[in-house]
Amino acid sequence: MGDQKESLRKITHTLALKNEEISNFVCTLKQSLDNLEANSNRVQGDLESEFTSLHSVLDGMKESMLTRIKQERASRTYELQSQLSACSKALESSEELLELANQTMCSSETDGFNQAAKDIKDSVTMAPAFRLSLKAKASDNMSHLMVDFSQERGMLQSLKFLPVPATPEIQVSECQVCDNTVTIAWTLPEPDSKIDHYILEHRRTNHEGPPRIREDYPWMVLEGIKEMEHTLTGLRFDTRYMTFRVRACNKAVAGEFSEPVTLETHAFTFKLDAASSHQNLKVEDLSVEWDSSGGKIQEMRKEKNRTNSPMHSPARSALMSPKRAPTARPGRDRFTAESYTVLADTMIDAGQQYWEVKFDKESKAFAVGVALRSLGRFDQLGKSSASWCIHLNNWLQQSLTAKHNNKARTLDCPIPNSIGVYVNYDEGVLSFYNSKTKQLMHTFKTKFQQPVIPAFMVWNGSFSVVTGLQVPSIVQSGQRKNSGTSSSNASLT
């Protein structure tokens, strides 16, 4: 009895779900019918409007061309009538003169004949008939205003509904991701002269492959693209991938989206670990400011920061590194005394990474570099074997030095506004660049025995960090060029 009730309960539940599914589908069908009616009325109205507009254009052209014919006829009529009037007057005068000459010829009087003949001769010389042009000033031919609408009639007869544009296809082999830009290229199955523009959509994602049902990030829309490629600039790659799709549009309708394509946009992203900072450093997101009041301003840090230890790895997001075993989180007095240091929350244990830091050049002291997790709470960057850095000193006299293991080398280069930091963990390379000009400032060459963490120090000043950057092409090419040369900084490695 109990089994039958359970079985019946399952059947009832299944039927209820099916009924709900069918009910939802019925609602969908009703909505589709309503949409069909509305959309049909809309396109019918658009069609009538287009034909009305076409008729208006034809009527306007007809009026313009009829006006041209009337103007041409009036102009030529005036020329011919004027010429006809002048010729009629000249003919009348000539007939009178001819009659006078005939009468004189028939006269028998000899006394007045000579004078009459002289008068007639003078009149003939001045007669209008001999000054007239006997060529019509205007032609009666109007064939130049004839029309042939056979081609246009054929075009009108070929009018049909505008086809939906074909679906583009993104050419992955032609797409490029470098220098914080992405270039997307696509093609159409066949040429289409009716295409007016393209719409490109993209969104960030943390996984490879086509979009999933639920994504963390919305689609970003770029409209009005005229060419079959587009370059996105000024990007910050704070996710591992970006997904793209594109569709073609004509004057009336947009086609279907292409199959989404996901491109890897690898870049190093981290945050500053506020719980690791010295009590005199005020950490806000990716900015740090010296605060002489002390008093552990970081008391306001969220509790989650206290467990946000640097155990993430940009190169091991899919496969956990054996070097990343969880360790106990240090206390919030991670650095104290004159070690005015703050660490990132993400370690580097493989690959090539790049980030930039903009600092206040008026700071009394500033340093940027990397450190091992074993960096002591009293250690200053560059003054132990567990850290490498570039150090700006504005105390008493200004200097820029490369420091490691308490050894320093003065750098003979202008102090930039911001510094780019490049790490090739596998090859043991740490390089510093002028982030604007990409001029190499200094390179450490070593062998990292443990994962390293971006590290920063500031005293009486401030700085901000820019992450989510790809390794610039000029940096990569410069590293390849210098990979076979010996390091001039061996004493500091």
Side-chain angles (χ1 to χ4, degrees), residues 428-467:
V429 173
L430 170 63
S431 294
F432 298 88
Y433 290 85
N434 181 319
S435 62
K436 181 178 181 180
T437 64
K438 298 302 184 289
Q439 179 183 359
L440 178 63
M441 300 169 61
H442 186 77
T443 293
F444 292 102
K445 290 189 177 181
T446 185
K447 184 176 182 180
F448 298 118
Q449 302 292 342
Q450 304 174 30
V452 294
I453 309 168
F456 310 86
M457 184 279 293
V458 67
W459 175 45
N460 283 335
S462 61
F463 67 90
S464 60
V465 184
V466 180
T467 70

Side-chain angles (χ1 to χ4, degrees), residues 326-491:
T327 58
R329 182 70 184 94
R332 61 182 180 179
D333 290 329
R334 173 70 174 86
F335 296 103
T336 188
E338 295 184 358
S339 181
Y340 305 115
T341 303
V342 59
L343 302 177
D345 68 347
T346 304
M347 71 178 184
I348 301 171
D349 61 1
Q352 302 178 59
Q353 319 301 341
Y354 179 83
W355 65 96
E356 294 180 352
V357 55
K358 184 175 183 180
F359 57 94
D360 180 6
K361 293 200 295 184
E362 300 301 320
S363 302
K364 293 300 182 182
F366 168 77
V368 56
V370 298
L372 303 180
R373 288 176 58 85
S374 59
L375 184 68
R377 63 197 301 257
F378 295 99
D379 290 343
Q380 300 179 38
L381 293 185
K383 291 191 175 182
S384 73
S385 61
S387 62
W388 300 256
C389 73
I390 278 187
H391 182 272
L392 170 67
N393 179 36
N394 263 331
W395 184 249
L396 300 180
Q397 60 181 7
Q398 189 178 70
S399 64
L400 189 65
T401 56
K403 291 185 175 183
H404 170 62
N405 202 18
N406 209 25
K407 296 179 181 179
R409 171 169 292 177
T410 301
L411 302 182
D412 185 17
C413 62
I415 298 175
N417 292 319
S418 60
I419 295 175
V421 184
Y422 166 83
V423 175
N424 187 328
Y425 184 87
D426 302 316
E427 296 186 6
V429 173
L430 170 63
S431 294
F432 298 88
Y433 290 85
N434 181 319
S435 62
K436 181 178 181 180
T437 64
K438 298 302 184 289
Q439 179 183 359
L440 178 63
M441 300 169 61
H442 186 77
T443 293
F444 292 102
K445 290 189 177 181
T446 185
K447 184 176 182 180
F448 298 118
Q449 302 292 342
Q450 304 174 30
V452 294
I453 309 168
F456 310 86
M457 184 279 293
V458 67
W459 175 45
N460 283 335
S462 61
F463 67 90
S464 60
V465 184
V466 180
T467 70
L469 302 177
Q470 295 181 311
V471 179
S473 298
I474 188 172
V475 171
Q476 287 185 324
S477 61
Q479 290 291 328
R480 287 193 296 267
K481 181 179 179 182
N482 296 328
S483 59
T485 62
S486 60
S487 172
S488 61
N489 309 313
S491 61

